[in-house]
């Protein structure tokens, strides 16, 4: 969910008072991982959290959770908040999808929920996932946990994920890798890139 509303200074995250520079630190390492993955011909999948304009896919419990003016569908700095097609819903320019790459729009935090992600992976017999993006403690963790339940191996790159809270970032990574990888494994982009280079 490397979306403008979450990472750009004029987005909804900043509007709520969050320090978006904490998320922006992921951009350069993600660019390097994307370049390596594309060079190897790996399947690259981008995700965007957002809802239909009529909010028919947004449960009332999620819709009514915040105060008026900050709710899903309200007008934000970059258009309606978390609504598909609005400026803020788009993926940031720095890691924009290339033509032909898969983009999954999801109405929830977990990228498997109400999407065709599992089918996209099954079509290519993929069982190992490299997870990057924001935020560590919300969509990334939810997706890793969902992947574990579905029999996937998820590897999350610590410098390619971030949270508005460094404490929640660290706690989420510790939870994922606890007990030898209860939900998945944690590494970093430098280790991944070094391993790719070693393979020639």
């Amino acid at each position: 969910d490397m979306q403008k509303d979450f990472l750009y200074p004029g987005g909804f995250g900043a509007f709520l008072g969050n320090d978006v520079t904490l998320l922006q630190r992921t951009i350069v390492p993600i660019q390097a991982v994307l370049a390596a993955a594309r060079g190897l011909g790996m399947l690259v999948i981008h995700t965007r959290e957002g809802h239909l304009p009529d909010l028919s896919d947004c449960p009332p419990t999620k819709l009514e959770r915040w105060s008026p003016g900050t709710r899903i569908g309200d007008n934000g700095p970059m258009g309606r908040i978390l609504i598909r097609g609005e400026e803020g819903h788009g993926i940031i320019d720095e890691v924009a999808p290339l033509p032909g790459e898969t983009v999954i729009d999801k109405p929830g935090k977990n990228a498997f929920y109400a999407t065709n992600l599992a089918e996209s992976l099954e079509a290519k017999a993929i069982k190992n996932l490299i997870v990057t993006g924001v935020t560590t403690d919300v969509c990334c963790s939810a997706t890793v946990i969902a992947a574990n339940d579905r029999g996937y191996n998820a590897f999350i790159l610590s410098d390619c994920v971030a949270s508005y809270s460094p404490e929640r970032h660290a706690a989420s990574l510790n939870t994922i890798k606890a007990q030898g990888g209860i939900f998945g494994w944690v590494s970093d982009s430098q280790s991944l890139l070094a391993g790719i280079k070693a393979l020639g």
Side-chain angles (χ1 to χ4, degrees):
D1 297 351
M2 294 291 284
Q3 293 165 254
K4 296 177 182 180
D5 251 341
F6 302 146
L7 285 111
Y8 279 176
F12 184 61
F15 173 71
L16 292 179
N18 294 301
D19 180 1
V20 296
T21 64
L22 293 170
L23 304 192
Q24 290 174 352
R25 70 167 182 77
T26 64
I27 295 173
V28 170
I30 287 176
Q31 287 174 324
V33 170
L34 270 177
R38 288 164 173 163
L40 290 172
M42 295 172 68
L43 176 65
V44 174
I45 296 177
H46 306 262
T47 65
R48 299 181 295 202
E49 182 184 359
H51 296 275
L52 298 171
D54 66 1
L55 299 175
S56 60
D57 60 348
C58 185
T61 51
K62 185 177 179 182
L63 184 61
E64 298 166 0
R65 188 159 295 165
W66 294 276
S67 59
T70 62
R71 290 177 175 169
I72 295 168
D74 287 349
N75 288 318
M78 291 187 174
R80 293 179 67 204
I81 299 164
L82 288 182
I83 297 299
R84 297 179 189 180
E86 298 288 337
E87 180 186 0
H89 178 255
I91 294 172
I92 63 171
D93 299 334
E94 293 89 339
V95 296
L98 295 181
E101 289 182 344
T102 301
V103 179
I104 290 179
D105 285 314
K106 58 192 185 72
K109 313 300 185 194
N110 145 25
F112 289 90
Y113 171 69
T115 73
N116 65 348
L117 176 57
E119 290 81 0
S120 296
L121 298 172
E122 289 166 10
K124 294 186 177 289
I126 290 172
K127 285 294 180 184
N128 300 312
L129 312 178
I130 299 170
V131 179
T132 68
V134 299
T135 59
T136 316
D137 48 323
V138 184
C139 295
C140 296
S141 290
T143 297
V144 167
I145 292 168
N148 175 263
D149 285 342
R150 289 164 173 79
Y152 295 97
N153 295 311
F155 298 84
I156 192 164
L157 303 181
S158 60
D159 56 333
C160 294
V161 294
S163 168
Y164 294 126
S165 162
E167 294 78 16
R168 292 198 305 268
H169 168 79
S172 297
L173 294 180
N174 285 335
T175 299
I176 288 167
K177 68 181 181 180
Q179 300 177 59
I182 193 166
F183 292 124
W185 292 269
V186 177
S187 188
D188 56 61
S189 64
Q190 293 90 347
S191 299
L192 174 71
L193 296 172
I196 290 172
K197 186 176 181 181
L199 292 174

